[in-house]
Amino acid sequence: MMVGRAVWMLTVIGWLGVVQLNPVEAHPHRILVDTDVNVDDVLALFYLLKQNKTEFDLKAITVNTNGWSDAGHAVHYVYDILSLMDRDDIPVGVGGEGGIFPNDTIQPNVGGYLPIIDQGPSTAGGCRYRQSIPPGQSGRLDVNTNYGMRKGLLPKGNRKYVPLQQPTAQQVMKDAISAGPITVFLMGIQTNFAIFLMTNPHLKKNIKHIYAMGGAVRSTCSGNPTSVLCGDIGNLFRPDSNPYGEYNIFGDPFAAYTVLHSGIPVTLVPLDATRTIPLDEPFFKAFEQKQDTYEAQYSFQTLKMVRDTWSNDEFYKEFCIWDAFMVGVALSQMRSLERDHRENEFAKLVYMNLTVITSNRPYGISDGSNPLIDGRLIPKFGVQKNGVHSGHVQMGMKDPFCLVKEGKGKCQDGYTKETIGAEAVSVLVATGAKRDHDSNSTRAKYFYDSFLDVINRPKKTERPNIRTQLPLHESVLRKPDFGKKLMGKALVFDMDMSAGDFLVLLYLLKLPVERINLKGILVSANGWATAATIDVVYDILHMMGRDDIPVGLGNVFAVGQSYSSFTSLGDCTYISSIPQGSGGSLDSDTLYGFARALPRSPRRYRLATKEFPGLGQPTALDVWKSIVKSLDPGSKITLLTNGPLTNLAEIILSENTDSVVQDVYIVGGHIRHDNEQGNLFTVPSNKYAEFNMFLDPLAAKVVFDSKLNITLIPLGIQKQVSSFQNILDKLKLTGTTPEAVFARHLLWRLWKLKQKHHRYRHMDTFLGETLGAVILGSCHPQLNPTFKFMPLKVVAEGDVSVIAQLLVDEHQPKMVKILSSVNPEAYHEEFANILGEQKQSAVVASFVEENKIIGCPTK
């Protein structure tokens, strides 16, 4: 009787609308997202996170690290987004240090930094597919910074990357998929998920469905041959070598093939569909007028910046919200299947028989392009020796095999091609976006209405954004007042933003300005850190109260590496020697996990727009010229370089430097002596080169062949004086200034990482980088540096096994001054003492302290 009454009451309540016992809400769809955190991915994440969690529950996010973003910047971006949306409960996975060995053994936690066919035991490697993505502007630099918007508009989340503690992509995937049935959204290159499927076949049963944005099946020309979208099937820019590939599939065709042929149901949203829903002007204007939430404001400001910096006047026809549309299609499809409806709200869907092209005919050849078969008696991963994976694999955007003298290129790597027979997989494919149900609506596509509705829904909890964290953020610039002090030697510091370079920067900022006047900083973007890490340089300067020092961003390519026909793209012959994971750019981009602790500078990487052309990030050459122009008559500049010599070579080639450069101190290079090897550990065939020279050998040749007075701080002397124990002991005895504490924490972490994991065995390299600054700026009476002079030649051409080596050549007309000895005790003492002095100390120690000074308590 009581049970019957309870049922009756629930029925009445449901009928009245007070409670709706929806069966969908009782069993939310668990979702895993793999993303490259591009602009459209961010819109997609907001759209997904704003859904009713009882219906769609995002359980985990993994970052794919070989696409449009770099691991260190991307993981922090995701943390910030989740913090804004009050979803710090969602685990985020990135990278991993596992490798794939020649015998097909796949180690746990492969990081996905390289395409599967190129993955070896290290995270360093080439860029056969990633060449298609610019590393600088209009590419990874803009995505990593969200076109300069991220740092100024998003809050710093509570979570951060910590070396050897960050959950890996494979770990997060396995945890989420092991927990029960789940749907997977793929918003980028599919390396992470393909590796998961290859190593965890027993967990396929838990994957209900895969939704992916990627690929291109058919040309869009058939309906309207005069359309601006009519042309190549794919969207690679430029299509000289491959008019069929689309970025997400082309980035790792073998991975995409593995996913498509996994036996798991797949719904694909290719360019065929996304090209029918460009971000048109009516939608843009509607979005401009409706921004009721902070995430809506952030999203619109991002789109506005993309529009204002678009390379032509076709933004409204060419830009699409690719991944956001895919998520809309996926959620609609999941609802339809749950409620036994077959109609998708947002897209027309049809089944097609598809495969992914991973190599080019003729099959069965061995031309050095295909790691799956070249030089192997048994092909890798069990592929057939004369099968579809056995042809020529595209080697880059200028692969001669793919180029055709007239017309489009002939390579098809990454093509999602219709086929029949054994290679065919039945895939549900979106072919176009549906029109708005309201014929009077100014927005042509129905998904537009849904997106604006969802992203403007009020949140249940209010989270701080950067305006509430630091309400005076944009107006607080910290600049010194040196009064009538007589300024010392004018110095320009050229850095590649390694951990050692930031220690050098702190030391230079602490030297008395009467001795060293740091006039500017040039950033090399082709070294240990990616270009977007320039924001960490700005933050260090802000911490030290030196927002007056200009910072110029150098080229992202070594000399001769960019393509003359399209300079935004190029090869990676030298930069491929830098590990992308632990101990490499992942750690440099995050300053080994300490970048998040720094106060946030109002200065940051910005783009020039058509409306404000003068607000963009200055180039290294721009900053150099402005410094030269500001010099008093007869004054000269001293340069200290701690990275590849790309910036210095550009300065030499652009103008006469003899009249304005006093001396050049170069930290790097290795002079072979008694078979002592260099430090190029990722290129084992080259035993005697040093990283700074190898990263741009042609630039090194330009500098060493110039008339400049060079003082070289070679690798050998750096090794002799490097000791973590000694420098840390000295820092313990000095004052507890914020910069000394920061340096001690950083050095301690480098030392401990070196002891814990083989990926960090080279940490001594960064410790030695401070030697050049100390030799240049120290007045320590016991330092006792001694020098010798030698004629040096840079090997700038030839095989990778000899390139960038420094040779003694008696035929060279110029002698180079070389540091040969120094007192290690005095060196460590000098560095520690300068950082411990109270003069010219940090103005604000950390982000937390700055928040207390100019911010307000977060809710």
Side-chain angles (χ1 to χ4, degrees):
M1 187 70 179
M2 291 293 292
V3 173
R5 183 181 180 188
V7 172
W8 180 84
M9 289 181 66
L10 287 172
T11 303
V12 171
I13 292 172
W15 179 74
L16 291 173
V18 179
V19 176
Q20 293 183 355
L21 297 180
N22 191 333
V24 174
E25 294 181 349
H27 302 283
H29 294 277
R30 302 175 67 252
I31 296 171
L32 163 72
V33 166
D34 188 65
T35 172
D36 61 10
V37 207
N38 205 337
V39 169
D40 56 316
D41 297 59
V42 173
L43 300 180
L45 285 174
F46 281 137
Y47 183 79
L48 179 56
L49 289 165
K50 294 298 291 285
Q51 302 294 325
N52 188 336
K53 189 180 174 183
T54 61
E55 185 177 9
F56 300 110
D57 189 6
L58 179 56
K59 304 302 292 187
I61 296 174
T62 54
V63 177
N64 59 76
T65 55
N66 58 343
W68 282 88
S69 61
D70 294 290
H73 299 294
V75 68
H76 280 159
Y77 195 3
V78 174
Y79 282 151
D80 291 346
I81 290 169
L82 293 177
S83 177
L84 177 70
M85 301 304 293
D86 197 22
R87 290 304 307 273
D88 282 336
D89 60 300
I90 297 175
V92 180
V94 65
E97 293 306 309
I100 300 178
F101 292 103
N103 64 358
D104 294 2
T105 299
I106 303 176
Q107 288 185 308
N109 292 313
V110 174
Y113 293 102
L114 298 165
I116 290 175
I117 65 170
D118 291 326
Q119 178 65 61
S122 167
T123 63
C127 58
R128 72 164 76 219
Y129 302 125
R130 210 181 191 193
Q131 281 186 29
S132 62
I133 300 173
Q137 287 192 355
S138 302
R140 282 152 47 199
L141 170 58
D142 286 345
V143 173
N144 287 333
T145 62
N146 194 34
Y147 290 78
M149 306 290 290
R150 172 186 150 205
K151 185 180 171 186
L153 295 179
L154 270 188
K156 275 189 180 180
N158 297 319
R159 291 185 285 176
K160 65 178 181 180
Y161 163 82
V162 177
L164 300 184
Q165 297 181 29
Q166 170 66 41
T168 67
Q170 292 300 311
Q171 175 188 335
V172 168
M173 277 189 172
K174 189 170 184 178
D175 290 347
I177 295 172
S178 298
I182 198 165
T183 301
V184 176
F185 290 0
L186 301 178
M187 299 183 187
I189 295 168
Q190 299 178 12
T191 309
N192 284 338
F193 190 57
I195 290 172
F196 174 83
L197 294 175
M198 293 169 74
T199 54
N200 298 278
H202 61 290
L203 290 175
K204 283 184 183 180
K205 65 181 185 295
N206 281 2
I207 302 168
K208 296 167 61 176
H209 203 101
I210 299 167
Y211 292 90
M213 189 278 130
V217 183
R218 298 170 180 171
S219 171
T220 54
C221 294
S222 56
N224 182 10
T226 62
S227 168
V228 69
L229 300 175
C230 177
D232 305 306
I233 291 176
N235 65 350
L236 303 182
F237 195 84
R238 303 162 51 124
D240 308 64
S241 59
N242 187 329
Y244 302 93
E246 179 276 334
Y247 285 105
N248 288 351
I249 307 299
F250 179 77
D252 194 341
F254 188 79
Y257 180 96
T258 301
V259 171
L260 193 73
H261 288 258
S262 65
I264 302 169
V266 175
T267 296
L268 187 69
V269 181
L271 295 180
D272 311 49
T274 60
R275 281 171 169 157
T276 68
I277 185 169
L279 199 153
D280 60 20
E281 192 167 6
F283 170 72
F284 188 88
K285 289 182 176 178
F287 199 176
E288 186 174 27
Q289 294 168 8
K290 187 173 179 59
Q291 302 171 53
D292 298 336
T293 61
Y294 193 79
E295 55 272 20
Q297 296 168 25
Y298 179 79
S299 298
F300 177 77
Q301 290 300 323
T302 297
L303 293 174
K304 184 175 184 298
M305 178 60 73
V306 175
R307 184 200 65 176
D308 292 347
T309 57
W310 201 248
S311 59
N312 57 37
D313 295 329
E314 301 291 340
F315 168 81
Y316 292 121
K317 297 178 180 178
E318 295 178 354
F319 186 86
C320 307
I321 47 177
W322 298 270
D323 289 313
F325 181 58
M326 183 276 286
V327 170
V329 172
L331 299 185
S332 175
Q333 195 69 5
M334 292 160 76
R335 285 193 185 102
S336 298
L337 294 173
E338 187 76 34
R339 297 167 183 172
D340 205 24
H341 298 156
R342 295 297 174 185
E343 191 74 15
N344 193 284
E345 294 176 277
F346 306 126
K348 305 167 189 174
L349 299 171
V350 298
Y351 280 97
M352 297 183 185
N353 292 325
L354 302 179
T355 190
V356 176
I357 303 299
T358 61
S359 70
N360 300 277
R361 294 179 184 273
Y363 297 142
I365 65 171
S366 182
D367 62 0
S369 70
N370 191 337
L372 297 178
I373 63 168
D374 289 330
R376 300 177 62 94
L377 292 175
I378 301 175
K380 205 168 186 179
F381 302 132
V383 305
Q384 298 298 310
K385 198 161 189 177
N386 296 301
V388 295
H389 305 300
S390 67
H392 178 92
V393 178
Q394 187 164 349
M395 296 287 289
M397 303 310 290
K398 291 294 183 181
D399 185 344
F401 179 92
C402 304
L403 299 175
V404 178
K405 287 185 178 180
E406 295 182 6
K408 304 295 184 182
K410 68 177 184 179
C411 280
Q412 298 186 9
D413 305 62
Y415 180 20
T416 45
K417 188 176 183 178
E418 290 183 274
T419 190
I420 57 175
E423 287 297 306
V425 177
S426 181
V427 179
L428 190 60
V429 180
T431 60
K434 288 186 176 179
R435 297 192 62 82
D436 197 307
H437 299 315
D438 183 359
S439 58
N440 297 319
S441 173
T442 59
R443 297 183 291 280
K445 306 297 181 179
Y446 184 46
F447 177 69
Y448 290 151
D449 293 324
S450 174
F451 180 83
L452 290 181
D453 171 64
V454 170
I455 202 166
N456 282 291
R457 289 175 185 169
K459 292 180 291 185
K460 295 179 181 178
T461 55
E462 182 64 30
R463 296 288 290 174
N465 55 62
I466 192 63
R467 305 302 185 192
T468 57
Q469 277 187 340
L470 300 174
L472 303 178
H473 172 65
E474 290 291 338
S475 60
V476 179
L477 286 170
R478 303 183 183 278
K479 300 181 180 181
D481 180 9
F482 294 125
K484 297 182 179 180
K485 288 183 178 179
L486 185 62
M487 306 301 279
K489 180 186 296 184
L491 177 70
V492 170
F493 179 38
D494 185 359
M495 61 187 294
D496 70 354
M497 302 181 290
S498 69
D501 286 1
F502 283 105
L503 294 171
V504 172
L505 180 56
L506 288 173
Y507 175 81
L508 293 175
L509 292 168
K510 288 303 297 291
L511 287 171
V513 293
E514 299 91 338
R515 192 189 313 169
I516 295 293
N517 177 18
L518 184 57
K519 300 280 287 184
I521 296 170
L522 312 181
V523 167
S524 297
N526 58 326
W528 282 92
T530 61
T533 307
I534 192 172
D535 282 350
V536 182
V537 178
Y538 284 129
D539 289 345
I540 288 283
L541 292 174
H542 187 62
M543 164 184 162
M544 300 301 293
R546 293 305 306 270
D547 286 329
D548 58 306
I549 296 177
V551 182
L553 182 60
N555 290 328
V556 293
F557 292 110
V559 174
Q561 289 282 284
S562 63
Y563 296 142
S564 57
S565 58
F566 189 61
T567 56
S568 293
L569 300 180
D571 208 344
C572 63
T573 304
Y574 310 118
I575 191 67
S576 63
S577 63
I578 301 292
Q580 297 181 59
S582 295
S585 57
L586 168 61
D587 280 313
S588 296
D589 287 344
T590 60
L591 196 45
Y592 288 77
F594 288 114
R596 300 279 273 188
L598 294 169
R600 182 170 281 192
S601 171
R603 294 197 295 169
R604 60 185 180 272
Y605 166 78
R606 297 175 187 261
L607 282 87
T609 64
K610 297 167 187 175
E611 187 177 1
F612 301 104
L615 292 183
Q617 169 63 47
T619 67
L621 191 59
D622 288 339
V623 167
W624 170 261
K625 289 181 177 180
S626 69
I627 293 171
V628 170
K629 190 175 180 180
S630 70
L631 292 176
D632 294 331
S635 297
K636 291 191 174 185
I637 302 170
T638 296
L639 283 119
L640 171 64
T641 70
N642 269 58
L645 301 179
T646 313
N647 289 332
L648 183 51
E650 183 182 28
I651 291 169
I652 292 170
L653 294 173
S654 66
E655 58 184 56
N656 179 19
T657 54
D658 297 347
S659 60
V660 293
V661 175
Q662 183 76 39
D663 295 293
V664 176
Y665 287 75
I666 297 176
V667 177
H670 177 61
I671 305 168
R672 182 173 175 179
H673 179 70
D674 294 333
N675 289 324
E676 183 183 358
Q677 296 190 5
N679 65 354
L680 200 60
F681 64 92
T682 54
V683 187
S685 65
N686 193 326
K687 296 181 179 180
Y688 303 107
E690 180 272 341
F691 269 106
N692 288 347
M693 298 297 115
F694 184 83
L695 287 167
D696 198 337
L698 287 174
K701 178 175 172 55
V702 169
V703 173
F704 278 84
D705 288 351
S706 71
K707 298 179 181 179
L708 297 177
N709 296 322
I710 295 174
T711 298
L712 186 69
I713 316 296
L715 179 63
I717 187 65
Q718 294 178 50
K719 288 181 176 180
Q720 290 178 29
V721 300
S722 296
S723 168
F724 280 108
Q725 183 71 66
N726 290 348
I727 189 65
L728 285 168
D729 287 345
K730 296 294 184 184
L731 282 167
K732 287 179 183 178
L733 300 175
T734 62
T736 56
T737 62
E739 56 274 14
V741 172
F742 185 87
R744 188 167 71 245
H745 287 167
L746 177 56
L747 286 165
W748 178 264
R749 179 164 289 177
L750 297 180
W751 190 29
K752 290 304 175 183
L753 289 171
K754 176 181 170 65
Q755 297 169 10
K756 284 182 180 179
H757 201 283
H758 70 279
R759 294 294 194 208
Y760 294 95
R761 63 191 176 193
H762 58 285
M763 293 298 100
D764 287 347
T765 295
F766 307 128
L767 181 59
E769 287 187 307
T770 59
L771 182 57
V774 172
I775 294 299
L776 167 65
S778 173
C779 291
H780 196 292
Q782 279 83 45
L783 194 60
N784 300 330
T786 63
F787 300 89
K788 58 185 176 183
F789 290 84
M790 301 176 70
L792 296 180
K793 173 186 176 181
V794 179
V795 179
E797 297 176 343
D799 188 78
V800 71
S801 63
V802 298
I803 205 163
Q805 294 181 13
L806 287 182
L807 305 179
V808 178
D809 184 358
E810 299 297 339
H811 297 290
Q812 291 295 110
K814 188 177 78 173
M815 303 295 281
V816 176
K817 185 179 179 181
I818 303 167
L819 179 67
S820 57
S821 69
V822 68
N823 181 349
E825 187 77 10
Y827 159 55
H828 296 141
E829 188 175 273
E830 160 70 7
F831 180 81
N833 287 344
I834 290 294
L835 261 64
E837 289 183 0
Q838 293 297 325
K839 291 182 179 179
Q840 296 178 203
S841 186
V843 175
V844 56
S846 65
F847 180 78
V848 172
E849 180 178 311
E850 186 170 43
N851 202 22
K852 292 177 181 178
I853 295 173
I854 67 170
C856 60
T858 57
K859 295 181 182 180

